């Protein structure tokens, strides 16, 4: 029994969390990288379709008397979402040093910023749906598909962060690969942030150019 208790402590303690994998990258890391690459390709197609259909349609853009997108709210959303990667980076480095409290604080901060972003997007939709919908014209379809698909990715990222925080608060080992779970969640979240920067330029800024 004493040996069993010692094994459990070794697997779930701070030392286990800060131990790197012996060699190379884990299967989970490669799986997340491949998944992100696939999703990045999909977003590239969506943004490419936006520019293609815009130039096919010609001026004016947005069409049918729809005003150019207001910039204040998207810029606030950007100021909320893009910095949300920073506390997650801080949290990941903290768990490498065995600082679980730092992990909890960093993940919670990223969660709060991500939820704020989604709340701002919901208020934007509530206003814009009075002006145009997905079926109004090609612009409406592109706008809601691109921003809505990204919002769905933010929601998935928030789910991953919530599960990560819950596991950490329970004092678990965060999975068999120590802090790999933290690293993989961070990769996904950084991807979500980077995609938003591309969406900001394409959907919100380019109609003004």
């Amino acid at each position: 029994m004493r040996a069993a208790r010692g094994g459990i402590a070794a697997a779930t303690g701070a030392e286990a969390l800060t131990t790197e994998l012996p060699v190379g990258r884990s299967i989970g890391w490669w799986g997340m990288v491949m998944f992100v690459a696939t999703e990045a390709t999909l977003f590239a197609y969506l943004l490419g379709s936006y520019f293609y259909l815009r130039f096919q349609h010609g001026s004016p853009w947005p069409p049918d008397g729809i005003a150019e997108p207001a910039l204040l709210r998207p810029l606030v959303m950007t100021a909320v979402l893009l910095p949300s990667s920073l506390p997650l980076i801080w949290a990941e480095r903290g768990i490498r040093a065995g600082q679980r409290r730092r992990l909890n604080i960093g993940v919670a901060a990223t969660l709060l910023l991500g939820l704020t972003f989604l709340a701002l997007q919901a208020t934007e939709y509530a206003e814009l749906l009075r002006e145009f919908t997905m079926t109004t014209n090609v612009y409406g379809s592109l706008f809601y598909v691109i921003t809505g698909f990204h919002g769905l990715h933010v929601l998935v990222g928030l789910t991953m962060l919530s599960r990560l925080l819950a596991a950490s608060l329970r004092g678990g080992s965060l999975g068999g690969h120590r802090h790999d779970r933290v690293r993989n969640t961070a990769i996904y979240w950084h991807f979500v942030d980077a995609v938003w920067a591309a969406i900001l330029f394409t959907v919100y800024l380019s109609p003004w150019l």
Side-chain angles (χ1 to χ4, degrees):
M1 289 296 293
R2 183 178 300 174
R5 287 195 295 270
I8 293 172
T12 59
E15 183 178 353
L17 288 171
T18 57
T19 302
E20 294 286 356
L21 293 175
V23 179
R25 304 289 188 179
S26 69
I27 294 176
W29 184 90
W30 283 109
M32 180 58 71
V33 169
M34 294 300 294
F35 175 71
V36 164
T38 301
E39 295 297 285
T41 302
L42 183 55
F43 273 108
Y45 277 122
L46 288 174
L47 298 180
S49 298
Y50 178 95
F51 284 111
Y52 173 78
L53 293 172
R54 173 185 175 177
F55 292 128
Q56 284 291 312
H57 183 276
S59 297
W61 187 264
D64 301 334
I66 298 175
E68 287 84 356
L71 296 181
L72 178 59
R73 197 190 321 261
L75 291 176
V76 173
M77 293 163 66
T78 302
V80 168
L81 187 63
L82 295 190
S84 68
S85 281
L86 298 178
L88 194 55
I89 293 172
W90 182 72
E92 184 183 2
R93 292 178 178 175
I95 199 60
R96 288 179 183 274
Q99 300 174 7
R100 188 184 291 269
R101 182 171 179 271
R102 182 166 152 179
L103 172 69
N104 295 341
I105 294 172
V107 172
T110 300
L111 259 173
L112 179 61
L113 292 171
L115 287 169
T116 303
F117 174 87
L118 281 186
L120 289 169
Q121 188 175 51
T123 61
E124 179 187 48
Y125 276 18
E127 292 182 9
L128 292 181
L129 284 170
R130 301 191 192 105
E131 183 180 0
F132 64 93
T133 67
M134 185 180 290
T135 60
T136 299
N137 51 33
V138 65
Y139 174 81
S141 298
L142 289 167
F143 179 88
Y144 287 111
V145 167
I146 293 173
T147 59
F149 194 54
H150 177 264
L152 178 61
H153 279 70
V154 173
L155 183 60
V156 171
L158 291 175
T159 302
M160 295 169 64
L161 289 167
S162 299
R163 290 172 58 86
L164 178 63
L165 181 60
S168 181
L169 290 174
R170 288 197 303 267
S173 64
L174 303 178
H177 287 259
R178 289 111 178 164
H179 59 269
D180 250 22
R181 185 170 170 185
V182 181
R183 178 169 55 186
N184 293 342
T185 301
I187 290 172
Y188 183 85
W189 191 257
H190 301 331
F191 160 72
V192 168
D193 282 2
V195 168
W196 175 252
I199 291 174
L200 175 71
F201 173 78
T202 302
V203 175
Y204 293 97
L205 297 180
S206 71
W208 289 93
L209 301 179

